[in-house]
């Protein structure tokens, strides 16, 4: 064993494949994470205000993807996104080839031929959709639990002041959800930078064509257990830890302040 100082860190930071895995990780995190919270908050508000007797059943339906095996989810979506026999291509090309008076009216919006989702320009979108589908229910449950702690007096006061349902959501619900938003976004940041199972299974453990679906966690795994370079893999894990700490600090500045 030989002391090499910070050489593992300088090698990892200068490795172009590590740069690409970090880029892929952030793109997938943004494409899957932002829609999760943008949809989960109004969805939780809708369930909270529109369902009473069947609320738990509806919540259970949305929570099923989170407790389903990641392997099963990834295999199912790999079949759905299959180029020749996948349901996604069948639906998209149906609309793309829908004709009125021999004119394909939706061809500008939908593809007319089957899409090869394994191509680099589509790989991250496919992985992002799978991650979004799996965790939107989890975030909905988090926000729903926070909604149930908001005092009804605030809504009654807003109604007396003439606030409609949209104004109640915007001026009462959203500010009260800020602490839970901080917690949920923090979990999304940690989960996104540790994303491994979905891209690993969907790309067959290779990262896909041109490594378009290779995340930082996959790069660390391949470096350690395929290339047997445990020193560099350890350095990568510490770099990811520092990224998580930095993004969590930034999230605290944005959402973690006191709620007045």
């Amino acid at each position: 064993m030989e002391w090499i100082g910070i050489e593992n860190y300088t090698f990892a930071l200068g490795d172009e494949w590590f740069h690409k895995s970090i880029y892929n990780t952030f793109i997938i995190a943004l494409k899957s994470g932002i829609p999760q919270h943008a949809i989960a908050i109004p969805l939780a508000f809708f369930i909270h205000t529109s369902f009473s007797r069947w609320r738990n059943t509806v919540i259970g339906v949305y929570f099923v993807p989170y407790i389903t095996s990641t392997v099963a989810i990834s295999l199912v979506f790999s079949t759905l996104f299959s180029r020749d026999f996948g349901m996604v291509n069948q639906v998209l090309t149906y609309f793309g080839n829908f004709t009125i008076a021999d004119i394909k009216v939706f061809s500008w919006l939908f593809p007319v031929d089957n899409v090869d989702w394994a191509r680099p320009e589509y790989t991250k979108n496919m992985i992002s959709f799978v991650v979004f589908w799996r965790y939107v229910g989890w975030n909905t449950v988090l926000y729903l639990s926070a909604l149930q702690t908001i005092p009804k007096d605030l809504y009654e006061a807003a109604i007396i002041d003439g606030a409609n349902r949209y104004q109640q959501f915007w001026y009462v619900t959203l500010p009260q959800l800020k602490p839970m938003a901080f917690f949920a976004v923090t979990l999304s940041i940690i989960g996104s930078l540790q994303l491994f199972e979905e891209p690993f299974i969907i790309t067959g453990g290779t990262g896909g064509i041109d490594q378009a679906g290779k995340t930082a966690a996959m790069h660390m795994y391949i470096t350690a257990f395929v290339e047997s370079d445990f020193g560099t893999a350890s350095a990568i894990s510490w770099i990811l830890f520092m990224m998580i700490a930095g993004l969590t600090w930034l999230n605290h500045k944005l959402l973690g302040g006191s709620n007045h």
Side-chain angles (χ1 to χ4, degrees):
M1 184 176 293
E2 180 183 357
W3 168 254
I4 58 173
I6 61 171
E7 187 175 322
N8 285 326
Y9 291 90
T10 56
F11 175 77
L13 292 173
D15 184 6
E16 62 176 309
W17 292 115
F18 178 63
H19 297 167
K20 185 152 194 172
S21 68
I22 289 291
Y23 171 78
N24 293 338
T25 301
F26 275 92
I27 293 298
I28 293 172
L30 292 174
K31 288 186 175 181
S32 64
I34 294 176
Q36 281 180 41
H37 298 276
I39 292 177
I41 291 176
L43 180 61
F45 182 75
F46 173 73
I47 294 174
H48 180 66
T49 56
S50 302
F51 293 92
S52 55
R53 181 179 179 185
W54 298 100
R55 180 184 300 171
N56 291 337
T57 304
V58 175
I59 294 171
V61 171
Y62 279 102
F63 201 69
V64 166
Y66 181 73
I67 61 176
T68 304
S69 166
T70 307
V71 176
I73 292 173
S74 301
L75 291 176
V76 168
F77 274 93
S78 296
T79 304
L80 292 175
F81 281 98
S82 170
R83 176 184 175 181
D84 297 321
F85 307 105
M87 187 178 295
V88 174
N89 271 339
Q90 290 185 21
V91 173
L92 294 179
T93 54
Y94 170 79
F95 288 105
N97 292 299
F98 185 79
T99 57
I100 298 178
D102 294 332
I103 299 175
K104 297 179 180 179
V105 291
F106 297 122
S107 60
W108 60 276
L109 182 61
F110 296 97
V112 295
D113 298 316
N114 286 347
V115 176
D116 184 2
W117 296 100
R119 291 171 57 185
E121 59 266 36
Y122 300 125
T123 304
K124 283 188 280 291
N125 293 335
M126 182 171 56
I127 296 171
S128 300
F129 180 79
V130 175
V131 176
F132 158 78
W133 181 83
R134 188 179 183 207
Y135 289 100
V136 67
W138 161 256
N139 285 298
T140 301
V141 172
L142 289 181
Y143 289 119
L144 188 60
S145 65
L147 284 171
Q148 294 173 351
T149 65
I150 299 176
K152 293 182 179 178
D153 297 350
L154 296 178
Y155 290 105
E156 292 172 356
I159 293 173
I160 293 174
D161 290 339
N164 56 33
R165 196 169 182 180
Y166 168 77
Q167 291 170 323
Q168 292 175 40
F169 174 75
W170 190 257
Y171 294 108
V172 178
T173 303
L174 280 183
Q176 294 298 317
L177 287 179
K178 194 175 176 183
M180 181 56 76
F182 166 69
F183 175 69
V185 172
T186 300
L187 291 182
S188 294
I189 291 171
I190 296 172
S192 296
L193 288 179
Q194 294 178 340
L195 187 65
F196 178 82
E197 294 172 312
E198 290 88 350
F200 187 86
I201 297 171
I202 290 174
T203 63
T206 64
I209 300 174
D210 195 28
Q211 307 288 290
K214 186 181 184 182
T215 61
M218 281 183 66
H219 183 69
M220 181 176 62
Y221 170 82
I222 292 172
T223 302
F225 298 105
V226 177
E227 300 173 356
S228 299
D229 188 354
F230 289 94
T232 302
S234 177
I236 291 172
S237 68
W238 275 104
I239 293 171
L240 289 177
F241 170 76
M242 287 184 282
M243 286 183 176
I244 290 173
L247 290 173
T248 302
W249 174 82
L250 181 62
N251 183 39
H252 177 73
K253 290 295 182 183
L254 293 174
L255 298 173
S258 59
N259 187 28
H260 297 291

